[in-house]
Amino acid sequence: DDEEFEGEFSFSMKENLLNPDGLDEDKACAISVFTCKCVRSTINAGFSNENGVKFLSFARLLNSALLAIPPLQGVLYCAISQPPSFGQFRAGMTFTWASFVLSSMYGNSVEQYLQEAQLEKRCSTLIQINACSARPIKPYSALHERYVDYPFELDMVLPFGSKFRVENVVNINVYVVLVALTEIPSDTRAKDSFDMVGDTMRDKWG
């Protein structure tokens, strides 16, 4: 599995002088690796089944790297290339998102994605998050081409197991559903209405 991704990314603290948070090379590299789409999708998808155990060591390293970066508050956006299941999100529900959530504070690239989805008649979900623990990861990101097209984009990652409350669900058009979320602070006890991925990783994370 490690061989599958070999050569697709690299990060060197000597070459990358943008390390405002003073992360060691292992932690900085973990964030850089995670931003590669093939890695990110494989890891997050793996958390929904028994394969997630394979990624525990990396997930713990990535989470510790994120927690070493001071959090920011703000409105974030991310897009999912499929509509939510019927009734999955309802106002007032709370849930734990058992994965790492890559999002954007300004949403310029998300806007372009949604325009393309509408032109191609692809159903999508736009997630709007009022976040309190978002970690800015642009200095460590491997998404260099994206920043050429969107130089003011500020990519953020929410740590594993962040909790949310559903505020509203709106059909923007026949193709796009907007789900508005508010992040629940980690020190607040809130019972989940459902789990975004499942109990597999929750049982094994500790």
Side-chain angles (χ1 to χ4, degrees):
D1 298 283
D2 291 337
E3 294 177 0
E4 179 180 353
F5 306 123
E6 186 176 356
E8 294 189 19
F9 49 78
S10 62
F11 185 93
S12 170
M13 296 296 287
K14 294 180 180 179
E15 296 176 2
N16 192 329
L17 301 179
L18 296 176
N19 184 18
D21 307 294
L23 301 186
D24 62 41
E25 190 158 4
D26 286 344
K27 290 180 179 178
C29 186
I31 296 175
S32 181
V33 168
F34 175 73
T35 59
C36 299
K37 185 176 180 179
C38 60
V39 179
R40 183 172 67 255
S41 58
T42 299
I43 290 174
N44 279 338
F47 288 153
S48 63
N49 54 56
E50 63 277 3
N51 291 328
V53 177
K54 297 190 300 184
F55 306 113
L56 273 176
S57 296
F58 177 79
R60 288 193 176 108
L61 176 62
L62 175 59
N63 213 51
S64 66
L66 295 173
L67 295 178
I69 299 174
L72 292 180
Q73 297 183 0
V75 177
L76 311 179
Y77 300 91
C78 62
I80 301 175
S81 57
Q82 60 187 24
S85 302
F86 179 77
Q88 180 180 8
F89 296 107
R90 294 196 299 271
M93 280 184 163
T94 60
F95 67 93
T96 298
W97 203 331
S99 62
F100 297 95
V101 184
L102 179 64
S103 53
S104 166
M105 180 160 277
Y106 297 118
N108 295 326
S109 57
V110 172
E111 182 180 7
Q112 178 65 29
Y113 171 85
L114 293 175
Q115 289 175 353
E116 293 173 356
Q118 186 168 354
L119 286 173
E120 298 172 10
K121 299 182 179 181
R122 288 186 284 112
C123 293
S124 301
T125 304
L126 174 63
I127 307 289
Q128 176 185 287
I129 305 171
N130 186 10
C132 61
S133 68
R135 266 59 179 192
I137 52 89
K138 187 173 182 177
Y140 315 101
S141 175
L143 301 173
H144 306 299
E145 292 183 5
R146 183 157 117 142
Y147 302 138
V148 173
D149 296 330
Y150 306 101
F152 300 108
E153 196 79 287
L154 183 57
D155 282 327
M156 317 287 280
V157 176
L158 289 161
F160 181 92
S162 297
K163 298 177 73 70
F164 302 93
R165 179 177 62 253
V166 180
E167 303 294 355
N168 202 2
V169 181
V170 179
N171 292 316
I172 296 180
N173 53 45
V174 294
Y175 304 111
V176 180
V177 176
L178 169 68
V179 179
L181 306 176
T182 295
E183 185 182 2
I184 301 172
S186 58
D187 58 354
T188 301
R189 292 183 177 274
K191 185 177 180 180
D192 287 353
S193 302
F194 67 97
D195 193 312
M196 188 68 166
V197 174
D199 293 329
T200 302
M201 287 301 293
R202 176 181 290 180
D203 294 342
K204 302 179 185 303
W205 181 260

